[in-house]
Amino acid sequence: MASLQLNLKPFKTPTPFKHTSSSTPKWGKIQCSATSTKKKSYNITLLPGDGIGPEVVSVAKQVLNLTASLEGIEFKYQEMPVGGAALDLTGVPLPEETLSVAKQSDAILLGAIGGYKWDANEKHLKPETGLLQLREGLGVFANLRPATVLPQLIDSSTLKREVAQGVDLMVVRELTGGIYFGKPRGFGKNENGDEIGFNTEVYATYEIDRIARVAFETARKRRGKLCSVDKANVLEASILWRKRVTMMASEYPDVELTHMYVDNAAMQLIRDPKQFDTIVTNNIFGDILSDEASMLTGSIGMLPSASIGDSGPGLYEPIHGSAPDIAGQDKANPLATVLSVAMLLKYGLQEEAAAKRIENAVLETLDKGFRTGDLFSTGMRLVGCKEMGEEVLKSIDSQRLAAV
């Protein structure tokens, strides 16, 4: 079985406002080798959100519980509303109580946010505003998005086999600055009386320095290559970005730094993605490039992410959207959320052995030919969200049996 290498170092639909404790997974009673010692206990905030979010978070919670039972870990959960679900319950996309609970936890798992139902809302009442507020409130400024083409899924990529094979890259996206948060912003009229909308792309040196440091450290732990993506031939904010990243390179002589304009980077990701190891870029460019990179792998339904800051809990989520067109139909791919749980364990809790169990179980499940609709091809077995989760649980459980 191939090894899933993200190169990282260091459920029954949830009900909002419902506090639950970890329970024994349905795979039976697990004899934990750590029963003689006190279990490590962690508080996890679950934010199922909208659309397929509750479905994939439910699967991920089951996976987390079974893995915990094998590793002598205990999880306590608190489920809170965010996005459209919060709008329907409280009238705002991020209730103060949700942010407060999230800040007090050890890690946060988010499902998905948004849906057609709220598309016509004013901006401050859109579900996506709640996500931006959550990231800002948690201070998670670095978004890590791995894109690895697994051997089992190489034929699912839209690229030729020889181009996609061996792709393994990480996008480090600045998450709380740039044009998404810059001021001034708003609406007005120009000198001709035409209505205008305007946003500001702005970065301070400290914002660039801290994301650059995360990127250099990440590249150092991978293959030692960092490509900084900007638009320094046009944008002043990018000129400063390139200057600061270049200055920091002297602190990392073991990392090879290159620069690339964003339009060329978008082209190169399709032409020759294997040239990239670690990419660092601003908020809006990272948003676009990481979604493009996800399609190299065959489906956005396979891509996890971690959002981290200088302190406090991290936010872990699949990079796919809420997919309201398939919500409630058991068609969602839960693997991106399951792999986000692996990142939560590895990054947020430093439980690397537990994370590895999950990564191995995902690979084993794919080796057996199980595929949700987004990954399905002739000769594979088509399954839904719940069954895919059950197969991952079986693979995790088989690790216990193999060790007995």
Side-chain angles (χ1 to χ4, degrees):
M1 181 176 70
S3 173
L4 178 60
Q5 181 54 267
L6 296 183
N7 287 309
L8 308 176
K9 307 285 185 184
F11 333 147
K12 178 181 176 182
T13 302
T15 303
F17 296 110
K18 178 182 177 182
H19 182 274
T20 61
S21 60
S22 59
S23 57
T24 303
K26 72 174 185 177
W27 295 107
K29 295 180 180 179
I30 306 299
Q31 298 299 319
C32 177
S33 60
T35 53
S36 60
T37 60
K38 185 177 180 180
K39 285 186 176 182
K40 289 176 286 186
S41 180
Y42 300 105
N43 294 314
I44 307 297
T45 298
L46 300 178
L47 305 177
D50 310 318
I52 62 173
E55 299 170 63
V56 295
V57 167
S58 176
V59 169
K61 181 182 176 183
Q62 293 177 51
V63 168
L64 196 55
N65 278 338
L66 179 54
T67 304
S69 70
L70 296 174
E71 292 291 330
I73 302 169
E74 180 182 27
F75 290 110
K76 296 178 181 178
Y77 303 99
Q78 194 156 357
E79 299 173 2
M80 302 297 293
V82 70
L87 280 166
D88 289 348
L89 280 170
T90 70
V92 294
L94 180 65
E96 290 183 9
E97 185 178 357
T98 295
L99 181 58
S100 176
V101 168
K103 285 182 174 180
Q104 295 172 40
S105 63
D106 295 302
I108 302 125
L109 179 65
L110 173 68
I113 281 180
Y116 309 134
K117 178 179 180 180
W118 306 281
D119 278 352
N121 285 18
E122 293 183 42
K123 186 175 181 298
H124 70 287
L125 294 178
K126 285 184 178 293
E128 294 79 8
T129 297
L131 178 57
L132 294 178
Q133 292 171 342
L134 178 65
R135 291 169 175 168
E136 187 174 32
L138 293 172
V140 288
F141 63 84
N143 184 221
L144 309 184
R145 295 188 172 191
T148 304
V149 177
L150 302 179
Q152 300 91 335
L153 300 178
I154 192 166
D155 291 327
S156 297
S157 176
T158 54
L159 301 183
K160 295 178 180 178
R161 172 180 281 264
E162 59 268 26
V163 177
Q165 192 167 28
V167 169
D168 176 13
L169 61 89
M170 175 76 77
V171 177
V172 180
R173 170 191 173 191
E174 199 288 320
L175 199 59
T176 57
I179 200 167
Y180 290 174
F181 292 92
K183 296 178 181 179
R185 62 189 300 155
F187 300 93
K189 290 187 178 182
N190 64 16
E191 61 275 12
N192 297 321
D194 294 323
E195 185 176 8
I196 61 170
F198 54 95
N199 297 85
T200 303
E201 168 73 359
V202 57
Y203 274 104
T205 55
Y206 82 91
E207 292 176 299
I208 301 170
D209 290 354
R210 66 184 183 180
I211 192 66
R213 191 168 299 282
V214 170
F216 274 108
E217 293 288 348
T218 301
R220 172 178 278 175
K221 295 167 185 174
R222 288 173 53 87
R223 299 191 299 278
K225 295 174 60 179
L226 177 62
C227 179
S228 178
V229 174
D230 58 41
K231 193 63 176 170
N233 59 334
V234 175
L235 302 176
E236 282 78 5
S238 280
I239 293 172
L240 179 62
W241 178 285
R242 183 171 293 207
K243 173 184 174 182
R244 299 301 299 187
V245 174
T246 301
M247 289 174 60
M248 188 169 289
S250 62
E251 300 180 33
Y252 297 89
D254 53 330
V255 176
E256 177 190 343
L257 174 65
T258 58
H259 300 274
M260 191 175 291
Y261 296 142
V262 64
D263 44 350
N264 186 32
M267 180 181 69
Q268 294 296 331
L269 272 173
I270 300 301
R271 189 188 73 83
D272 181 20
K274 285 193 286 288
Q275 70 182 282
F276 295 106
D277 171 27
T278 305
I279 296 171
V280 62
T281 191
N282 69 15
N283 205 340
I284 189 169
F285 296 162
D287 192 358
I288 297 166
L289 293 180
S290 59
D291 277 10
E292 181 187 7
S294 76
M295 294 314 298
L296 305 176
T297 70
S299 172
I300 200 170
M302 288 298 299
L303 274 294
S305 77
S307 299
I308 59 176
D310 288 324
S311 62
L315 176 66
Y316 303 86
E317 59 180 305
I319 75 168
H320 61 65
S322 61
D325 53 321
I326 61 169
Q329 300 177 40
D330 194 35
K331 293 181 178 180
N333 182 351
L335 294 184
T337 313
V338 170
L339 290 173
S340 293
V341 164
M343 294 186 80
L344 181 155
L345 289 165
K346 187 177 293 187
Y347 263 101
L349 307 180
Q350 287 73 53
E351 297 287 352
E352 295 205 19
K356 196 64 179 176
R357 284 187 185 273
I358 294 174
E359 293 169 356
N360 288 340
V362 168
L363 285 174
E364 183 177 317
T365 301
L366 294 172
D367 278 336
K368 292 176 181 178
F370 294 100
R371 302 287 188 272
T372 44
D374 57 315
L375 299 170
F376 183 71
S377 60
T378 303
M380 299 294 104
R381 177 173 171 181
L382 180 63
V383 296
C385 181
K386 292 179 182 178
E387 188 173 354
M388 180 64 90
E390 290 169 359
E391 292 301 327
V392 172
L393 290 169
K394 288 178 183 177
S395 293
I396 294 173
D397 204 38
S398 70
Q399 296 175 31
R400 175 183 66 89
L401 297 174
V404 173

